[in-house]
Amino acid sequence: MTQLPAQAAHRPVPSPPATARLADIAAQAGVSEATVSRVLNGKPGVASATRQSVLAALDVLGYERPVRLRRRSEGLVGLITPELENPIFPALAQVIGQALTRQGYTPVLATQTPGGSTEDELTEMLVDRGVTGIIYVSGLHADTTADTQRYEQLRAQGVPFVLVDGFSPKVRAPFISPDDRAATQLAVTHLAALGHGRIGLALGPKRFVPVQRKIEGFVHAMQERFGLDPAEIERDLVQHSLYTLEGGQAAAAHLLDRGCTAIVCASDMMALGAIREARRRGLEVPDDVSVVGFDDSPLIAFTDPPLTTVRKPVQAMGQAAVRAVLEEIGGTPTPPTEFVFMPELVVRGSTASGPGVSAPRA
């Protein structure tokens, strides 16, 4: 995937050593190095699907195709994401990039960074480079206070776009979202079954649509399970912070002070921060405090303890975003609607029975 930094200029990518290149391509395509060699050298005896997998691996890894194997790109498709420090964004970018490459398009990644280019500036840069479409991930469309007129201006320019993670009824476009309400309901149901009654929710600023939906799901589940007053739930058991490790730690501090024995976090990074805060207080996770994350980011299964989390359907969402933008580009646009994908609870080692509950760890 081509990455477009601020003030970007295209530079040739140096070719890696042949042995490293073969191993990398083989691993990406899921074939042997011998098969990669046959494809690169134009040898017969390789199935068409396998050959295409090898060529797609070349493109995804940023290696140049041999001249005889090059094809004309169908066009550039921009992908604008927030900063890549949160591992869920690179994971989604990889799925989208691979899907675009398989369809013959060249993905161009433009990343927002603190103090760097804004979403509007990145959009302008991509449009100037002649992209045929743009996919936005967790952009201004997720912010209920943002001006959505910018998207109508983009549509007037004839640039198709698809919006991932966030929804605005004011914008006429396909939206791709996880079911954020179901996510917090799954987490509360799991923790309640383990005997926890004082469950907190740590998440980002309230102006964002996914945050509002997670709160709705959390309040509904807590009200249904424990008969609590909705206003009391939001006041005492919901803590807003930042989607970072430090943000999770700060939110967990407030929730632990309010007597929570379990904390549901709106990202895996926040969950790691919550675990750090519990340990800072001399508490054990999960024996004293249970923690649930959200996303199921790469490597999160290997933390200490392995994190129980609500898995975001990244593969399905990324592929759906690509299908939608290509339909828009092809002149057969999807009706402006929201496609909602169901998350999945993945139980690991960071949740256990509540204090005083003798049920086995689940």
Side-chain angles (χ1 to χ4, degrees):
M1 183 183 300
T2 303
Q3 183 162 1
L4 179 65
Q7 316 305 327
H10 294 289
R11 299 185 182 90
V13 178
S15 297
T19 52
R21 183 174 64 204
L22 285 177
D24 291 345
I25 298 167
Q28 179 70 30
V31 300
S32 68
E33 291 183 34
T35 298
V36 173
S37 180
R38 294 186 69 84
V39 172
L40 296 182
N41 290 297
K43 299 286 183 66
V46 181
S48 175
T50 301
R51 188 179 302 275
Q52 289 304 315
S53 294
V54 171
L55 295 178
L58 275 172
D59 297 336
V60 168
L61 293 172
Y63 297 155
E64 291 188 6
R65 294 189 183 194
V67 175
R68 64 179 173 278
L69 297 178
R70 292 178 189 171
R71 66 179 179 187
R72 184 179 179 277
S73 172
E74 297 288 346
L76 304 176
V77 174
L79 172 60
I80 299 181
T81 71
E83 35 64 40
L84 298 180
E85 291 181 1
N86 186 331
I88 199 62
F89 294 132
L92 188 55
Q94 182 177 31
V95 171
I96 291 173
Q98 288 175 336
L100 285 169
T101 300
R102 283 195 295 269
Q103 297 300 319
Y105 288 83
T106 301
V108 182
L109 177 61
T111 307
Q112 298 179 67
T113 54
S117 298
T118 65
E119 181 179 303
D120 287 343
E121 290 169 340
L122 292 174
T123 298
E124 185 177 347
M125 293 166 70
L126 289 170
V127 172
D128 287 345
R129 282 162 174 76
V131 293
T132 56
I134 300 177
I135 298 173
Y136 293 87
V137 177
S138 296
L140 291 170
H141 63 280
D143 187 341
T144 57
T145 66
D147 176 15
T148 58
Q149 191 61 34
R150 54 176 48 88
Y151 297 114
E152 291 307 313
Q153 293 169 356
L154 187 62
R155 181 172 295 283
Q157 291 176 275
V159 181
F161 59 93
V162 172
L163 304 164
V164 180
D165 267 347
F167 175 76
S168 172
K170 301 174 185 176
V171 181
R172 295 178 297 117
F175 287 86
I176 310 294
S177 305
D179 191 330
D180 289 297
R181 298 181 184 91
T184 45
Q185 290 172 349
L186 285 170
V188 168
T189 299
H190 168 62
L191 293 168
L194 291 172
H196 292 276
R198 189 73 173 171
I199 302 169
L201 176 64
L203 71 182
K206 193 172 182 179
R207 68 179 186 274
F208 294 105
V209 172
V211 170
Q212 295 174 3
R213 290 176 169 181
K214 285 185 175 73
I215 292 174
E216 289 172 12
F218 179 77
V219 169
H220 176 79
M222 293 293 287
Q223 186 180 20
E224 188 175 59
R225 282 275 176 173
F226 305 111
L228 300 177
D229 176 66
E232 177 188 337
I233 297 170
E234 280 212 53
R235 184 187 67 239
D236 298 339
L237 301 177
V238 175
Q239 184 65 44
H240 297 278
S241 187
L242 300 176
Y243 283 112
T244 62
L245 191 148
E246 293 78 13
Q249 182 172 0
H254 288 286
L255 294 170
L256 291 172
D257 285 345
R258 296 171 196 162
C260 291
T261 63
I263 300 175
V264 180
C265 298
S267 78
D268 291 335
M269 295 297 287
M270 294 188 81
L272 296 181
I275 292 173
R276 176 197 275 182
E277 176 60 21
R279 287 177 172 164
R280 190 188 70 81
R281 294 173 178 232
L283 301 174
E284 293 292 329
V285 177
D287 295 335
D288 300 314
V289 180
S290 287
V291 177
V292 179
F294 177 74
D295 283 336
D296 197 26
S297 312
L299 303 181
I300 211 68
F302 305 101
T303 57
D304 178 26
L307 187 66
T308 294
T309 189
V310 179
R311 176 179 293 157
K312 192 172 188 174
V314 168
Q315 192 77 25
M317 288 176 59
Q319 291 175 348
V322 170
R323 282 197 301 271
V325 79
L326 294 187
E327 287 174 357
E328 295 271 322
I329 291 170
T332 56
T334 304
T337 188
E338 182 177 25
F339 300 90
V340 180
F341 292 78
M342 187 67 183
E344 172 190 2
L345 179 71
V346 182
V347 179
R348 298 193 181 104
S350 66
T351 51
S353 300
V357 179
S358 58
R361 185 178 300 180

